Amino acid sequence: MIRVVLADDHKLVRMGLRVLIDREDDMTVTGEAPDGQAALELLRRDRPDILLLDLRMPGMDGLETLRKITPDPDLGQTQVIVVTTFEIDQYVFEALQAGAAGFILKDTAPDELVRAIRVVARGEALLSPSVTHRVVSMFKRQVAPTAAPVGGLDELTERERQMVAWVTTGYSNEEIAKELVVSPATVRTHVSRAMVKLHARSRAQLVVFAMRAGLTLDR
């Protein structure tokens, strides 16, 4: 059972999400929060698998909430999906840097929202190739060359560096495996080891770290 917490300041939005999620056999909403502080309390109490997090909330907003979740070892098992009204903006980009597993739009079709929760619960990134390319473009425009270096980069093997570069294309493990003529399990192993060495909370954050380190692959 995938356990989900909802954080949004609009009660009607939370109600709609709860109805949608609770009707699925493999997931359930364990709690709702109208702001970031309440969301953190729920995460510590319920230890859910997924947090659907609105970025724009009064008091502690979504971005500040995410920045408190990421470094907290007690909250490491919860993956965060940012819910936003904008496809790509500065808040979304900063959320990915802070460790969000991906994002969905508030007008996303119900079946796509459910699919997104399952994707992230499996440990995959909720970033399509087209969205990843736009994130890369935004990164190149807005991040200074003097940005802090990525820790653990020297520990990567050449194969792990290659896999990290492929992750920045937005391809799934299966798609990368097909391109490199290897098994998906091989790709998954190298990507997982790279995430551990780079201390990436999610596959989406690994994309950001790869861009900061210059490990990109133009497709």
Side-chain angles (χ1 to χ4, degrees), residues 173-189:
N173 289 341
E174 289 71 19
E175 291 168 328
I176 295 173
K178 185 176 180 180
E179 291 284 342
L180 298 179
V181 196
V182 297
S183 71
T186 296
V187 176
R188 189 177 304 110
T189 297

Side-chain angles (χ1 to χ4, degrees), residues 32-219:
E32 300 179 22
D35 56 52
Q37 186 58 51
L40 289 177
E41 293 172 4
L42 281 176
L43 262 58
R44 293 192 176 97
R45 186 193 74 188
D46 297 342
R47 306 296 174 90
D49 303 295
I50 301 291
L51 169 64
L52 292 184
L53 178 66
D54 184 22
L55 283 183
R56 292 169 173 81
M57 295 184 294
M60 184 185 296
D61 65 14
L63 194 56
E64 183 180 355
T65 303
L66 182 56
R67 286 173 174 159
K68 289 183 179 296
I69 293 172
T70 302
D72 191 330
D74 292 332
L75 304 180
Q77 78 287 342
T78 300
Q79 293 296 320
V80 180
I81 301 175
V82 167
V83 183
T84 179
T85 55
F86 303 97
E87 288 194 29
I88 290 288
D89 65 8
Q90 184 60 32
Y91 288 102
V92 170
F93 182 70
E94 290 179 17
L96 293 176
Q97 290 197 91
F103 67 92
I104 57 175
L105 300 179
K106 285 194 173 181
D107 61 356
T108 296
D111 59 333
E112 283 299 306
L113 172 63
V114 170
R115 185 193 69 83
I117 292 173
R118 292 192 178 108
V119 165
V120 173
R122 291 197 302 265
E124 300 176 25
L126 193 60
L127 289 176
S128 67
S130 61
V131 170
T132 303
H133 294 161
R134 290 161 65 188
V135 171
V136 170
S137 296
M138 178 175 280
F139 178 90
K140 290 178 178 177
R141 291 197 308 269
Q142 299 187 14
V143 178
T146 56
V150 178
L153 187 62
D154 293 340
E155 298 178 26
L156 297 182
T157 65
E158 284 303 313
R159 193 60 160 168
E160 289 166 353
R161 284 173 175 263
Q162 179 190 34
M163 294 301 180
V164 169
W166 271 97
V167 169
T168 67
T169 64
Y171 284 15
S172 66
N173 289 341
E174 289 71 19
E175 291 168 328
I176 295 173
K178 185 176 180 180
E179 291 284 342
L180 298 179
V181 196
V182 297
S183 71
T186 296
V187 176
R188 189 177 304 110
T189 297
H190 288 301
V191 170
S192 297
R193 288 174 179 171
M195 287 180 65
V196 170
K197 291 178 180 179
L198 298 180
H199 303 287
R201 176 183 172 84
S202 67
R203 193 179 176 104
Q205 191 177 44
L206 182 62
V207 171
V208 176
F209 287 176
M211 290 186 291
R212 283 172 50 191
L215 296 177
T216 60
L217 188 68
D218 295 327
R219 298 291 292 173

Side-chain angles (χ1 to χ4, degrees), residues 6-57:
L6 311 174
D8 194 296
D9 59 318
H10 292 94
K11 186 174 183 179
L12 191 60
V13 172
R14 299 199 308 271
M15 183 184 303
L17 290 172
R18 175 181 281 275
V19 170
L20 177 64
I21 293 169
D22 281 347
R23 74 183 185 186
E24 299 297 319
D25 294 335
D26 61 341
M27 58 183 70
T28 184
V29 173
T30 62
E32 300 179 22
D35 56 52
Q37 186 58 51
L40 289 177
E41 293 172 4
L42 281 176
L43 262 58
R44 293 192 176 97
R45 186 193 74 188
D46 297 342
R47 306 296 174 90
D49 303 295
I50 301 291
L51 169 64
L52 292 184
L53 178 66
D54 184 22
L55 283 183
R56 292 169 173 81
M57 295 184 294

